[in-house]
Amino acid sequence: MHDPQFADIYHADPGRIIGGDAHPNSIRPCAVVQPGPQLVKVVGRSASGAHEPPYTLRSAAEPSCGLNRPGVFDERHQHTLWRDDMTVTPYHQYKGPLPTDPARALQEFWDGLAYR
């Protein structure tokens, strides 16, 4: 299993998202924003969400990491995952890291949310 790092993309199992997900029957693409020793904070991505700056970040399709359609990372879709569900068991599937420029944009977006 992969050790989660900032800007890694996972397809999260909604049944294993702490607190659940609004779409319990759909895998949630998400990006790691705060890897921790037991819990990992992620921000979910929607291919159908509206873009409402500064609370969303446009995200181009990135097939190299499993993002096959354009979408948005949304502040409303912050989730927490058990690290063991990413590193020990296969509940959340690692798809790859965001490329450098989108990862930098994600960092700026996440940093901006911290100061609101």
Side-chain angles (χ1 to χ4, degrees), residues 5-56:
Q5 302 295 315
F6 183 85
D8 282 348
I9 301 297
Y10 282 82
H11 284 181
D13 179 334
R16 298 294 297 186
I17 293 173
I18 297 171
D21 187 78
H23 303 283
N25 298 321
S26 298
I27 297 298
R28 169 73 70 185
C30 56
V32 172
V33 289
Q34 285 182 333
Q38 293 181 321
L39 301 172
V40 175
K41 174 82 86 170
V42 297
V43 62
R45 185 177 182 273
S46 173
S48 61
H51 182 59
E52 300 172 17
Y55 304 105
T56 61

Side-chain angles (χ1 to χ4, degrees), residues 9 15 30 40 50 67 73 95 99 101:
I9 301 297
C30 56
V40 175
L67 303 176
F73 289 105
K95 296 298 181 177
D101 288 343

Side-chain angles (χ1 to χ4, degrees), residues 44-80:
R45 185 177 182 273
S46 173
S48 61
H51 182 59
E52 300 172 17
Y55 304 105
T56 61
L57 171 67
R58 287 187 194 273
S59 171
E62 296 288 350
S64 67
C65 57
L67 303 176
N68 297 323
R69 301 185 323 191
V72 294
F73 289 105
D74 195 320
E75 179 255 350
R76 295 175 302 148
H77 298 148
Q78 293 180 46
H79 298 293
T80 304

